[in-house]
Amino acid sequence: MQNRNISDIIEKYLKSILADSQKIEIKRSEIAEQFDVVPSQINYVIKTRFTIQNGYLVESKRGGGGYIRIAKVNLIDDTDVLDQLIDLIGESITSGKALQIIQSLYEDKFLTQKEANLVLATMDRTTLDFADKRLENVVRARILVSVLNRLRCAD
Amino acid sequence: MQNRNISDIIEKYLKSILADSQKIEIKRSEIAEQFDVVPSQINYVIKTRFTIQNGYLVESKRGGGGYIRIAKVNLIDDTDVLDQLIDLIGESITSGKALQIIQSLYEDKFLTQKEANLVLATMDRTTLDFADKRLENVVRARILVSVLNRLRCAD
DNA sequence: ATAATAATAGTCAATATTAGTCAAAGTTGG
DNA sequence: CCAACTTTGACTAATATTGACTATTATTAT
């Protein structure tokens, strides 16, 4: 019970820092060394425990002076709607259905008019324009789901 | 946070000067000496951080009295610059370069932070995530050009 | 004027320094 | 035993740093 796995311990450590500050910046190799694990385990911890659903945004940079940044974000109250929409979209969606969803997001004030227009522009039929329409609908679904996940953040 | 790479520091320094004046003129060797790097690193900083995607135009002259001039430009208002940018994007763009462009648009206040984040979400590496990276970059280019053209009609 | 030299900046490729991906192997709770 | 979760490491990708070599322009000497 007390000796949990090392991923849990690293998670707890990072979250204890995030309790004080809104965001942290780490060097993957340093944290890995500190806890005596291989560097890629840090990626595992982040991928399983610092997701957007949990209220964390992660960005990173490779190369000299590289880093991993983890930021705590405020999630909106009503994520159910987003969950349901993501569920509904699944793996594939037509441009018509995507339009309906974006319109409803606008009506429910998740998006301003300009935001809605921008999002629409990214996924409309003439923008994506795949020969293979099946693939186009898959890509559109990924884009729309990504937008919906972004909307979880209240800022 | 403090141990960033020297390229970022040079970038920040140059941009801090550009915050006051629309353009600056530097001597490559002087800046290199000031930050204790080889002169060609200045070229690296410029090539990676002061491109047209970033909203900057650069001109230079060699020989005695040589210089490098960097000028801030406006990506959307100036139709020529926008055309040039779209031209540069062409049929394909990496996520890194796309990020630079979106950041410039945000800095120039053509996009709010939320709009920028939404747009970024649509073309992020993890969103599009094609096995065929070449195709991924093509799709990203289409999305980005579509966004730029949408911004053109300011509403 | 012309040629030689000096004083710049540019290019490119090798190397270094990070982080990411993925799948195999190990562990654990039910 | 099985399924889910964790750990590991080989391989990949992105970014930064460096320096040798090249190109261009200005100045000086003839």
Side-chain angles (χ1 to χ4, degrees):
Chain A
M1 328 295 134
Q2 71 280 29
N3 281 328
R4 293 178 307 174
N5 61 62
I6 190 73
S7 289
D8 283 346
I9 294 171
I10 295 171
E11 171 193 8
K12 206 172 170 200
Y13 169 72
L14 295 175
K15 288 190 174 170
S16 75
I17 302 179
L18 280 164
D20 297 333
S21 46
Q22 201 66 16
K23 60 173 10 190
I24 55 173
E25 182 173 310
I26 61 172
K27 270 189 135 39
R28 187 180 75 153
S29 55
E30 276 177 11
I31 301 295
E33 192 170 7
Q34 187 174 333
F35 290 95
D36 195 29
V37 297
V38 296
S40 62
Q41 178 137 16
I42 308 304
N43 296 90
Y44 175 72
V45 171
I46 286 173
K47 212 168 94 179
T48 54
R49 292 153 164 87
F50 291 87
T51 64
I52 181 67
Q53 283 85 358
N54 291 323
Y56 296 95
L57 282 181
V58 178
E59 56 178 21
S60 62
K61 196 166 78 160
R62 308 183 195 188
Y67 57 77
I68 300 176
R69 282 190 196 132
I70 307 174
K72 224 174 9 176
V73 294
N74 298 317
L75 297 180
I76 59 169
D77 297 332
D78 187 12
T79 57
D80 287 355
V81 181
L82 298 177
D83 288 335
Q84 284 164 20
L85 284 174
I86 289 171
D87 225 45
L88 179 73
I89 293 163
E91 304 254 300
S92 170
I93 189 170
T94 63
S95 67
K97 287 223 159 62
L99 173 60
Q100 286 177 11
I101 288 177
I102 292 169
Q103 270 172 346
S104 78
L105 289 171
Y106 168 64
E107 281 157 18
D108 293 346
K109 304 213 186 310
F110 281 102
L111 294 172
T112 66
Q113 180 160 4
K114 185 180 171 195
E115 286 158 5
N117 280 329
L118 281 169
V119 170
L120 272 178
T122 67
M123 64 182 73
D124 90 13
R125 228 196 229 120
T126 57
T127 303
L128 308 181
D129 177 33
F130 285 48
D132 181 348
K133 290 301 169 191
R134 199 173 34 75
L135 179 57
E136 175 177 318
N137 289 342
V138 169
V139 172
R140 182 178 294 108
R142 283 213 294 263
I143 295 174
L144 187 49
V145 167
S146 180
V147 165
L148 290 169
N149 275 321
R150 196 65 186 64
L151 288 176
R152 291 176 192 281
C153 307
D155 45 14
Chain B
M1 292 283 208
Q2 64 280 39
N3 279 332
R4 292 180 314 178
N5 62 66
I6 191 72
S7 290
D8 281 347
I9 294 170
I10 296 171
E11 171 194 7
K12 208 169 170 203
Y13 170 72
L14 295 175
K15 287 189 175 170
S16 75
I17 302 179
L18 278 161
D20 298 332
S21 46
Q22 204 65 14
K23 60 176 5 191
I24 55 173
E25 181 173 310
I26 61 172
K27 266 189 135 41
R28 187 179 75 152
S29 55
E30 276 178 10
I31 302 293
E33 192 170 7
Q34 186 175 334
F35 290 96
D36 195 28
V37 297
V38 296
S40 62
Q41 178 138 15
I42 309 305
N43 296 88
Y44 175 73
V45 171
I46 287 172
K47 211 170 89 182
T48 53
R49 292 152 165 88
F50 291 88
T51 64
I52 185 68
Q53 296 102 304
N54 301 107
Y56 296 92
L57 285 180
V58 178
E59 55 180 20
S60 63
K61 198 169 74 163
R62 310 185 194 188
Y67 56 78
I68 300 176
R69 282 191 196 130
I70 307 175
K72 183 86 186 77
V73 295
N74 190 311
L75 290 183
I76 298 293
D77 287 347
D78 186 332
T79 309
D80 288 346
V81 173
L82 180 55
D83 288 339
Q84 195 182 333
L85 182 62
I86 289 174
D87 213 49
L88 187 88
I89 294 167
E91 306 231 310
S92 171
I93 190 168
T94 63
S95 66
K97 289 221 161 65
L99 172 61
Q100 290 184 340
I101 293 174
I102 301 301
Q103 265 172 351
S104 310
L105 294 173
Y106 168 64
E107 279 162 22
D108 291 350
K109 302 202 192 304
F110 291 110
L111 292 174
T112 66
Q113 180 158 9
K114 186 182 171 193
E115 287 159 3
N117 282 326
L118 284 170
V119 169
L120 277 178
T122 68
M123 61 182 74
D124 180 276
R125 221 177 0 216
T126 56
T127 303
L128 307 180
D129 176 35
F130 288 44
D132 182 350
K133 291 298 170 194
R134 207 179 66 264
L135 179 58
E136 175 177 319
N137 290 341
V138 168
V139 172
R140 182 178 294 108
R142 285 212 290 264
I143 294 175
L144 183 52
V145 168
S146 178
V147 165
L148 288 171
N149 281 321
R150 178 74 224 164
L151 288 175
R152 193 168 228 155
C153 20
D155 59 321

